[in-house]
Amino acid sequence: MQNAKDSFYMALRTRLATINPERTVLLRGAVRPGILVEEAEAPFSPPPSDVFILRWLSLGVDLDLGSALTVAECEIAYQTCGTQSFGGLDRGRSLTGMDEELVAMLQPFNTPKLNYTATPPAAMLTRVFWGEPGFVPVITQRDRLSRSVKVMVYSYQEQGE
Amino acid sequence: MAANWFSAPAPVARRVRVYFAAVNRATQTPVLFDPAEQGAFNLDAPPAPWIDLGWIQGFARKPGSKTSPVLTGIPACTLEQVRETLEAQVSFEFLSWTKLTMALATGSQHMNLLAAASGATASADGGQATAAVTPQSGSTAGFLALAATDAATFAPGSIIALDLDYTGQTGFVGAPVAGAYVRQALADVDYIRRVTFNVGLVSQVSSTGLTLAGPLPGGAPAAGAKLQALTGFVDREGGSFYQEWSALFVMQGSQGERIFFYYPRLQAMTGAEEEAVPLDDNHEGGQMRVLLKGQFLALPISDPLDGEHVLCYRSFLPASMALV
């Protein structure tokens, strides 16, 4: 399943870099597209604003198929306080912008599965695919708007996985 | 050189996409789809002359062919089976209302509501229309050159129909798609433009002509073709004309595999019908999306390969490196 999780994240990250190249985050001294996997970074509190944070939740496996089908629930959380230049009064617009970027990142609903433990990443035989995003209502905390989206990510287990 | 492989479970697909192409009614020739040659086409750019009608929902195939046993012996038992009748139906809902989807989902002629002339007598399918204008040389499928005075009668957002004047002919009329079958001569010079599928949206007007938002289905205007503004579309419950189309349904699997359902000949088998679907499941009395419902009967062709009568071809292009 790790290859599927890596491939899903890298697909979204690559697509975000095209959709909005200005959404970036400085992590461990490097500027990267503004999306990260929570379990692959040092713990942070509070979570950074204006960045997409992937969090892996439940996992299921269907073993009754020719190739086992795994399904992992991915929560993508993001929050914003708007921009300083508008005194945060544009936080609603900023959140809507992130909503739109996320919808665009999720299309098309599949990506090739790659093994990122190899250098360069090795193409595998199957594709990772996912379902429609489920948007959770906005949470308002003072001047901070946050939202999360849940996506079910599927992949077939290949030989050697 | 060796390659790895995987055992592919049943395809997983999100939705179904549909493409239609007009059967040539005069020659009774359906449009061919060859999955071996054309199966990898870009879903957003189907091979000509297929027209992309987008995603559909509620796609259902219903085989209706009947078989009968050939009985022999005492007591009788089945020796063989014979195919007694050949029938198949397909139904689905279109997710958009356009000239073509409306026409496909109705059982008879589908007409354009030509803009009415000043003082025209009211009519349920459009009364006397404003006079047609003639495109000039230099017109293309996407640009209609007009005299400045003619161009000034249109505005961005106008919808136009372009086809020949009706001159008393009988038989199939309309290009590139036969929009009706005229059994006896009519008096309406605009009749062909009332039933033509050669319609387009005007995106820009200049003193030299009209730029269209998309190319006309019939390509550059034919000699003698004229255009008229229209205000919308109308179809009727009744009538004797059956439209006939070739249809191609595509399911794209999650692993890149594709399932094609190719119907060489489809005719609508019910009248116009809609389905209202609530936008919000929690408020069923609220906003409703009105979908065009289509139900079609498949008609047979004779497969030149072996002469068998065929209603539909189902093709499967497996995912790369999937066990077959």
Side-chain angles (χ1 to χ4, degrees), chain A residues 89-100:
Chain A
L89 299 182
D90 59 345
R91 58 189 182 278
R93 289 176 177 273
S94 295
L95 191 74
T96 302
M98 296 188 80
D99 293 339
E100 291 169 351

Side-chain angles (χ1 to χ4, degrees), chain B residues 43-119:
Chain B
L43 293 185
D44 293 325
W50 293 97
I51 302 168
D52 181 9
L53 291 180
W55 304 103
I56 56 172
Q57 72 176 36
F59 175 65
R61 290 170 5 103
K62 185 179 172 187
S65 301
K66 291 186 173 65
T67 57
S68 289
V70 176
L71 303 174
T72 184
I74 301 174
C77 59
T78 302
L79 179 67
E80 288 184 9
Q81 289 192 106
V82 293
R83 205 174 295 279
E84 200 170 56
T85 61
L86 199 56
E87 183 185 318
Q89 298 176 13
V90 59
S91 61
F92 57 88
E93 288 115 36
F94 287 108
L95 295 176
S96 63
W97 283 58
T98 65
K99 165 72 183 174
L100 202 47
T101 58
M102 269 191 84
L104 286 161
T106 191
S108 189
Q109 294 100 326
H110 187 262
M111 291 180 281
N112 306 314
L113 283 169
L114 299 180
S118 176

Side-chain angles (χ1 to χ4, degrees), chain A residues 65-69 107 109-110 125-132 156 158-159, chain B residues 4-12 14-15 252-257 320-321:
Chain A
L65 301 168
S67 296
L69 175 68
Q107 297 178 72
F109 284 70
N110 61 70
L125 299 175
T126 60
R127 301 180 75 84
V128 181
F129 55 103
W130 50 92
E132 312 290 334
Y156 294 114
E158 298 184 26
Q159 295 173 33
Chain B
N4 291 325
W5 42 264
F6 74 103
S7 174
V12 175
R14 292 179 63 239
R15 46 194 180 173
Q252 171 91 43
S254 64
Q255 302 304 304
E257 68 272 50
S320 174
M321 300 314 298

Side-chain angles (χ1 to χ4, degrees), chain B residues 29-228:
Chain B
T29 310
V31 174
L32 194 65
F33 174 72
D34 181 344
E37 280 189 28
Q38 302 170 304
F41 73 89
N42 178 350
L43 293 185
D44 293 325
W50 293 97
I51 302 168
D52 181 9
L53 291 180
W55 304 103
I56 56 172
Q57 72 176 36
F59 175 65
R61 290 170 5 103
K62 185 179 172 187
S65 301
K66 291 186 173 65
T67 57
S68 289
V70 176
L71 303 174
T72 184
I74 301 174
C77 59
T78 302
L79 179 67
E80 288 184 9
Q81 289 192 106
V82 293
R83 205 174 295 279
E84 200 170 56
T85 61
L86 199 56
E87 183 185 318
Q89 298 176 13
V90 59
S91 61
F92 57 88
E93 288 115 36
F94 287 108
L95 295 176
S96 63
W97 283 58
T98 65
K99 165 72 183 174
L100 202 47
T101 58
M102 269 191 84
L104 286 161
T106 191
S108 189
Q109 294 100 326
H110 187 262
M111 291 180 281
N112 306 314
L113 283 169
L114 299 180
S118 176
T121 306
S123 170
D125 38 22
Q128 184 187 355
T130 54
V133 300
T134 306
Q136 299 182 330
S137 61
S139 295
T140 65
F143 177 75
L144 299 174
L146 293 178
T149 50
D150 289 338
T153 62
F154 295 89
S158 297
I159 310 172
I160 57 102
L162 186 142
D163 215 314
L164 303 173
D165 279 346
Y166 176 74
T167 55
Q169 64 267 47
T170 55
F172 292 108
V173 295
V177 179
Y181 185 87
V182 182
R183 287 182 293 176
Q184 55 190 18
L186 307 171
D188 183 6
V189 70
D190 298 321
Y191 183 75
I192 298 179
R193 284 183 290 275
R194 289 191 195 277
V195 299
T196 188
F197 284 80
N198 204 27
V199 299
L201 175 70
V202 176
S203 63
Q204 191 178 344
V205 178
S206 70
S207 59
T208 58
L210 312 179
T211 303
L212 303 181
L216 288 166
K226 295 180 181 177
L227 73 144
Q228 278 170 297

